[in-house]
Amino acid sequence: MRKMNEQRGVQRSMELWALTATAGAVVLLMSAGGAYAQAQGETQAAGGEAAPQTVVVTGIRRGIESAIATKKNADAVVESISAEDIGKLPDTSIAESISRLPGVASQRVAGRSQSINIRGMSGDFVGTLLNGREQVSTGDNRAVEFDQYPSELLSRVDIYKTPQANLIGQGLSATVDMQTVRPLAFSNRALVFNLRGEKNSLGKRNADSSDTGSRFSASYIDQFADRTFGVALGYARLDSPGQGDRWEAWGYTTDPNATNPDGSSAKVLGGFKAYVDSSKQVRDGLMGVFQWKPSKNFESVVDLYYSRFEKEQKTRGFEVGLPWGGATLSNAVVRDGYLVGGTFTGVKPVLRNDLNERTDELSAFGWNNQLTLGDWKAVADLSWSKADRQESILETYAGTVPGSAGARDTAEFTFDPNTGLPTLKTGLNYADPSIIKLVDSGGWGQDGYLKHLNVKDELKALRLEGSRNLDGIFSRLSAGVHYSERSKTKEVPEWWVDLKTSTRNSSGFTTAPTDLPAGLALSPTTLGFVGFGGMLSYDIPGALGSLYNLTPKVHKDIWNKNWEVTEKVATAFAMGNIDAELGPVSLRGNVGVQVVRTDQSSTAYTLPNSSDAGNVQPNTDGKTYTDVLPSLNLAFGFSNDQVVRLGLAREMMRPRLDQLRASTSYSYDVPRDEWSGDGGNPRLDPFRANAADLTYEKYFGNKGLLSAQAFYKDLKSYIYKQDVPYDFVGLTNPVTGLPNPADTIGKFNLPANGQGGTIRGWEVAASIPLNMLSSALDGFGVVASYAHTDSSIEPNGPGSTMMLPGLSKRVTNLIAYYEKYGFSARVAQRFRSEFVGEISGFGADRELVFIKPEKVVDVQLGYEFAQGPMKGLSVLLQVNNLTNAEYARQEQDGAPKEYVKYGRTVLFGLNYKL
């Protein structure tokens, strides 16, 4: 525990350092402001007016200045990132770029940023748009998996932290709008190529894997017909390896042979898993924009997007029960309340060769038409997007033959209570095919297991809008309607994977060992990070095809995973844009309202508490409701480029899609004479909140910025699992041979609207080009932010202690860069404190887990040739996860749960622009 407390002290020191760095940046920028303004004034005084200058800003500073200009000119509270050049956002993934903005954090999945948490709320509260249109998701719910969108195909990402009435598909925490280029916004043809090679520092963890990969992208932008027609085409290919060393605890128990000095029981690792993961990710992304503007009065734009993402992950390792596997402890060593050393006899590891294959396809189409007649403007927008996910999760087992001589082993055990990493030095050779067989070594009732996930998500939408320019306090009034239909389905068929030598029938399952054919054998896999030697490894697809049979498994839990949810949403909106002068203060912004009519329904299955498929019945249910969502955004402009913003709004987010499923299962307890059931709830109301934002922003042209933000959200309810009274009338008694009970009232455990609470926080940020302080620092710059968030929400209901999923109390970002004479360098660090994240858990269900604090550092170096025969060529060296930061989980009481090292990724590439 002492080490854990020391670690927390180091963590808090890091947080205080990051906050101090941000505050220092603010002070520097404030002090620089006077010098900057004075220099501007002297320039004007010398010549009466400032001499016109043309300064072409490129690279890192171009991206920063463009993002500052977007934030400055927005009516709402907006954060933005912009591409440094065509096809060059500042990070290798959209999720990583977004997570560098104030109040934004990412959750790593398999070592890569994937889901986004904003202002302490999980990805299910984030609205995600592509070119202003709501997007479907390849995930299980609403949260978009941002690694589906190649950063090379996007020009800008805006995050709306406050809603406005014409923003459709907005989220409760924020709305992310990813944008592609508009070809007529460019003055000339552009052709850009990017090529990078990459290598993972861990090397090949499995013999049939690779530690090298590549990235390639090409973009073409052109204008035709006297600049009335523009085309933008982009292609991006990712072929990226992933490696990982992963340990995970089964849990903790006690053992009579392990006691603390005071005689109390020490924590003993009950069992654990240790794996090495090797993945190959291939993503092909296509983007097309066709823009036609035959006159200043009419414009038509077609947006096309498609990506196909294929992932193959091979996992080899073992699971072993220690006390929970019947092993006996001796020579125990206890420290800081944990068993940290000893000898276990009767150990029986189960070796696993697993394969996870996933294919995602994502398509999006949008057609926008705008007609302007004098002060009037009409907009018609038609859109469609679809996601298709096919994923298989295969497990196969090997080990010593149950009941045979030498089936169990003796192992020396050590445990690090700080990281959780154990070591297990065994006596048997687990790579010896004469000892290790394909068999149900653990007695689990199967030689392997297979799950297949089918997820489909489709969204169609139509938007009609009209607006008129005005004179007076309102510069423009607009009104419109938007209608969308969304349908998401999930199916999870599952199979027992049994060796052809084994038997499964009505009498049960009998396992029989099978020798591994020499033609399927691979080099042994080593798990040195837990002290385990080589283990038997083989061609997993080859073994499945030749040695195993698949037997469908039918069970109520599997039927409960199959559902369809449909939403029909009609939105009417009206908004007035404000542009006025209040003496020396300028005022701009908007005020408006949305009226949203939601018709939600679900079709799934009702089934008894058994695996009898004959009793399964389809079930359809739903609800219709209306929300009125007013919003106000005001931006007060003061002298010296200062802006104060106020945002007030009523916000709404529809429930998670799996919470809306109409799945129900029920049972009847004979001794207690009581019905019970569980499932989803298609009659849920949405999350609703009243929100307020107040920000201060100080700009230095578009070059520098400091800002301070405070926000407050009052959630009127929160959705969590509850026991509610339910009438089981009409259902058949699932206990064979007994009549239906007279009393049909029982308890049903389901998601329901319950007690809400508040989320509140503050954020400070600064972007400083250091030449504002001294000309000697020209080319250097710093971008820093700190966000602090608190919540009173008890996400599992009153009295529960779990943190709000997605909430890190402290999130910091620090970027230092240099760019001059063609050279560029950037060091970026992002940190988030502990939080509750969501992962795909056992049975492919979503699972909430406690994730420890993490700090990730990335480095980028580059050089661009500005003249000569190599003009337009730039070279780039990147190191992602420079410090090989671990991904670590913990139990709710702080005990280590999981520890993973993904290694660092080194990329070297070329960029060429014509």
Side-chain angles (χ1 to χ4, degrees):
M1 295 300 293
R2 177 177 54 83
K3 284 189 175 181
M4 295 177 68
N5 290 333
E6 290 175 353
Q7 184 183 35
R8 291 191 180 100
V10 172
Q11 170 197 332
R12 293 306 299 269
S13 297
M14 289 165 44
E15 294 163 1
L16 290 173
W17 174 85
L19 178 57
T20 302
T22 306
V26 170
V27 172
L28 288 173
L29 191 53
M30 289 292 287
S31 63
Y36 179 79
Q38 181 181 1
Q40 293 286 76
E42 290 173 352
T43 300
Q44 291 188 5
E49 294 182 0
Q53 297 180 0
T54 301
V55 179
V56 179
V57 180
T58 61
I60 296 173
R61 285 183 293 177
R62 173 180 175 176
I64 292 173
E65 292 186 14
S66 178
I68 290 175
T70 298
K71 180 179 180 69
K72 182 178 181 180
N73 296 326
D75 287 340
V77 178
V78 173
E79 307 290 352
S80 182
I81 54 171
S82 292
E84 299 168 5
D85 204 339
I86 301 168
K88 289 179 63 178
L89 272 167
D91 290 281
T92 55
S93 81
I94 287 298
E96 290 168 354
S97 294
I98 294 173
S99 65
R100 303 203 189 281
L101 296 173
V104 184
S106 66
Q107 179 180 331
R108 290 194 291 171
V109 176
R112 302 174 186 273
S113 296
Q114 184 183 82
S115 60
I116 294 297
N117 306 148
I118 301 178
R119 287 185 162 179
M121 305 186 77
S122 69
D124 288 309
F125 294 92
V126 178
T128 304
L129 316 176
L130 178 62
N131 292 320
R133 306 177 182 101
E134 187 176 4
Q135 292 299 290
V136 293
S137 171
T138 54
D140 293 339
N141 283 287
R142 301 184 190 278
V144 164
E145 296 179 330
F146 285 93
D147 55 0
Q148 300 290 333
Y149 298 88
S151 59
E152 297 91 339
L153 302 184
L154 299 176
S155 64
R156 197 176 84 201
V157 181
D158 296 334
I159 296 182
Y160 291 82
K161 291 183 174 178
T162 59
Q164 54 188 38
N166 65 347
L167 189 65
I168 306 298
Q170 58 198 24
L172 194 68
S173 61
T175 306
V176 178
D177 187 9
M178 301 177 289
Q179 299 178 25
T180 56
V181 300
R182 290 293 177 259
L184 294 183
F186 290 79
S187 57
N188 297 297
R189 174 188 301 167
L191 187 59
V192 178
F193 298 95
N194 284 287
L195 177 64
R196 300 179 194 177
E198 68 173 273
K199 182 176 176 61
N200 186 281
S201 65
L202 292 182
K204 296 195 297 183
R205 282 305 195 239
N206 286 283
D208 51 352
S209 69
S210 174
D211 59 353
T212 60
S214 62
R215 300 170 186 237
F216 172 76
S217 68
S219 298
Y220 168 70
I221 300 172
D222 211 343
Q223 305 81 29
F224 305 93
D226 198 23
R227 295 190 55 80
T228 62
F229 185 73
V231 175
L233 301 173
Y235 169 72
R237 179 175 176 83
L238 167 77
D239 186 347
S240 178
Q243 306 289 337
D245 295 335
R246 174 164 56 96
W247 165 84
E248 183 179 348
W250 281 5
Y252 295 85
T253 185
T254 59
D255 190 290
N257 296 314
T259 57
N260 292 304
D262 61 2
S264 61
S265 296
K267 275 181 174 282
V268 177
L269 190 62
F272 68 91
K273 310 173 185 178
Y275 300 113
V276 290
D277 303 321
S278 297
S279 63
K280 177 183 176 66
Q281 301 180 89
V282 178
R283 182 192 60 209
D284 291 290
L286 291 167
M287 176 273 295
V289 181
F290 304 91
Q291 185 178 12
W292 183 44
K293 193 171 184 179
S295 69
K296 65 178 182 180
N297 296 326
F298 179 74
E299 180 180 11
S300 183
V301 181
V302 173
D303 294 295
L304 302 173
Y305 175 80
Y306 172 82
S307 72
R308 180 181 175 88
F309 199 173
E310 297 178 346
K311 178 180 178 181
E312 178 188 78
Q313 178 173 293
K314 295 167 183 173
T315 295
R316 294 186 174 93
F318 66 90
E319 296 194 38
V320 61
L322 299 174
W324 287 344
T328 301
L329 172 66
S330 61
N331 305 320
V333 178
V334 173
R335 186 174 67 247
D336 296 333
Y338 288 87
L339 173 72
V340 298
T343 302
F344 280 103
T345 56
V347 172
K348 187 174 176 56
V350 176
L351 308 185
R352 289 180 53 170
N353 283 247
D354 298 349
L355 178 64
N356 183 347
E357 296 179 298
R358 174 172 169 173
T359 300
D360 298 325
E361 285 192 277
L362 189 61
S363 305
F365 162 83
W367 183 22
N368 182 273
N369 295 276
Q370 300 184 22
L371 175 65
T372 302
L373 298 174
D375 290 328
W376 291 89
K377 184 177 182 179
V379 178
D381 190 275
L382 182 67
S383 63
W384 168 85
S385 62
K386 184 178 181 180
D388 189 341
R389 168 183 164 200
Q390 304 289 322
E391 182 175 10
S392 64
I393 304 171
L394 171 66
E395 305 172 2
T396 63
Y397 315 137
T400 57
V401 177
S404 65
R408 290 185 176 267
D409 199 357
T410 297
E412 297 298 321
F413 171 81
T414 63
F415 177 79
D416 183 347
N418 189 34
T419 64
L421 281 178
T423 62
L424 198 70
K425 295 183 178 179
T426 56
L428 296 177
N429 180 3
Y430 288 90
D432 186 349
S434 68
I435 300 174
I436 305 301
K437 310 293 181 183
L438 304 181
V439 69
D440 178 17
S441 180
W444 296 344
Q446 60 202 36
D447 297 316
Y449 203 75
L450 175 64
K451 311 179 197 64
H452 192 89
L453 283 78
N454 306 308
V455 178
K456 297 183 185 296
D457 196 355
E458 185 173 15
L459 175 65
K460 296 174 285 187
L462 173 66
R463 174 182 180 133
L464 301 174
E465 180 180 357
S467 63
R468 188 179 190 280
N469 294 330
L470 301 173
D471 294 324
I473 188 172
F474 288 103
S475 60
R476 184 171 70 254
L477 292 178
S478 58
V481 293
H482 182 276
Y483 179 78
S484 66
E485 292 186 2
R486 182 176 189 173
S487 176
K488 187 154 192 166
T489 61
K490 182 180 179 181
E491 297 177 344
V492 190
E494 302 183 13
W495 296 265
W496 284 293
V497 176
D498 298 332
L499 288 161
K500 292 180 178 180
T501 54
S502 299
T503 303
R504 183 180 298 278
N505 52 39
S506 58
S507 301
F509 172 75
T510 303
T511 186
T514 295
D515 290 327
L516 177 68
L520 296 176
L522 300 175
S523 300
T525 299
T526 301
L527 292 91
F529 72 103
V530 289
F532 198 83
M535 59 163 278
L536 190 74
S537 302
Y538 46 85
D539 177 357
I540 305 169
L544 178 67
S546 60
L547 303 178
Y548 293 91
N549 292 320
L550 299 182
T551 302
K553 182 177 180 180
V554 179
H555 191 274
K556 74 179 186 71
D557 291 342
I558 298 174
W559 282 100
N560 267 331
K561 299 174 188 176
N562 302 330
W563 47 262
E564 178 181 12
V565 172
T566 301
E567 293 176 330
K568 300 177 180 179
V569 183
T571 303
F573 62 93
M575 188 177 78
N577 288 84
I578 300 170
D579 191 355
E581 299 291 334
L582 304 177
V585 178
S586 65
L587 173 63
R588 56 187 173 85
N590 55 64
V591 59
V593 64
Q594 288 185 0
V595 179
V596 185
R597 179 74 167 174
T598 303
D599 181 357
Q600 65 191 28
S601 64
S602 174
T603 298
Y605 299 97
T606 295
L607 59 158
N609 191 15
S610 72
S611 58
D612 183 3
N615 290 333
V616 173
Q617 299 293 328
N619 182 45
T620 300
D621 200 359
K623 181 178 183 177
T624 302
Y625 54 87
T626 301
D627 283 275
V628 179
L629 307 175
S631 61
L632 172 69
N633 289 284
L634 298 177
F636 298 91
F638 295 90
S639 59
N640 296 323
D641 237 354
Q642 300 178 88
V643 179
V644 174
R645 299 180 188 270
L646 172 67
L648 301 173
R650 173 78 163 179
E651 300 175 339
M652 179 269 286
M653 191 77 188
R654 285 179 282 277
R656 289 166 50 117
L657 293 167
D658 63 349
Q659 293 173 331
L660 291 173
R661 73 188 194 279
S663 308
T664 63
S665 64
Y666 64 95
S667 61
Y668 174 65
D669 189 314
V670 176
R672 299 175 63 182
D673 188 25
E674 183 179 78
W675 286 95
S676 64
D678 64 82
N681 186 0
R683 300 187 182 186
L684 280 171
D685 282 331
F687 298 92
R688 297 184 176 103
N690 294 329
D693 282 77
L694 182 65
T695 75
Y696 168 79
E697 300 160 2
K698 165 62 179 168
Y699 294 92
F700 299 86
N702 289 334
K703 298 182 181 297
L705 162 71
L706 71 85
S707 67
Q709 308 178 19
F711 69 91
Y712 179 88
K713 295 181 186 290
D714 181 11
L715 271 70
K716 296 306 178 183
S717 74
Y718 196 84
I719 298 171
Y720 50 89
K721 296 290 288 291
Q722 304 173 43
D723 286 325
V724 299
Y726 188 83
D727 190 349
F728 290 85
V729 63
L731 296 182
T732 303
N733 192 333
V735 182
T736 305
L738 294 178
N740 288 340
D743 187 0
T744 61
I745 302 298
K747 290 183 179 179
F748 200 96
N749 184 258
L750 79 176
N753 297 93
Q755 177 177 299
T758 61
I759 302 174
R760 58 199 175 277
W762 53 274
E763 305 158 2
V764 291
S767 180
I768 310 171
L770 295 183
N771 60 1
M772 295 177 62
L773 303 176
S774 169
S775 60
L777 297 175
D778 187 39
F780 290 93
V782 175
V783 180
S785 68
Y786 176 89
H788 186 98
T789 308
D790 290 296
S791 172
S792 68
I793 296 173
E794 298 168 316
N796 289 332
S800 61
T801 58
M802 189 180 75
M803 297 168 57
L804 182 67
L807 189 150
S808 288
K809 283 184 175 293
R810 294 163 293 276
V811 175
T812 65
N813 281 287
L814 181 62
I815 300 171
Y817 65 88
Y818 172 80
E819 188 173 48
K820 195 172 183 181
Y821 306 123
F823 292 96
S824 64
R826 185 174 68 106
V827 180
Q829 172 190 296
R830 63 181 190 270
F831 169 82
R832 67 181 304 183
S833 60
E834 66 271 14
F835 68 104
V836 173
E838 188 178 56
I839 64 171
S840 181
F842 180 77
D845 288 324
R846 305 307 292 173
E847 178 183 345
L848 295 176
V849 295
F850 294 85
I851 301 177
K852 297 179 70 173
E854 63 179 20
K855 178 181 67 173
V856 180
V857 179
D858 301 324
V859 174
Q860 174 180 305
L861 303 173
Y863 180 77
E864 181 175 0
F865 295 89
Q867 57 188 0
M870 301 180 70
K871 181 179 180 181
L873 178 68
S874 59
V875 294
L876 182 72
L877 174 66
Q878 290 177 285
V879 183
N880 295 336
N881 193 19
L882 177 69
T883 59
N884 193 14
E886 70 275 6
Y887 167 87
R889 296 197 284 126
Q890 61 189 21
E891 304 275 6
Q892 193 164 1
D893 64 359
K897 177 65 175 177
E898 184 179 13
Y899 186 89
V900 190
K901 285 279 193 175
Y902 296 112
R904 59 185 61 85
T905 300
V906 180
L907 301 99
F908 178 78
L910 303 173
N911 174 271
Y912 186 64
K913 180 180 178 181
L914 292 174

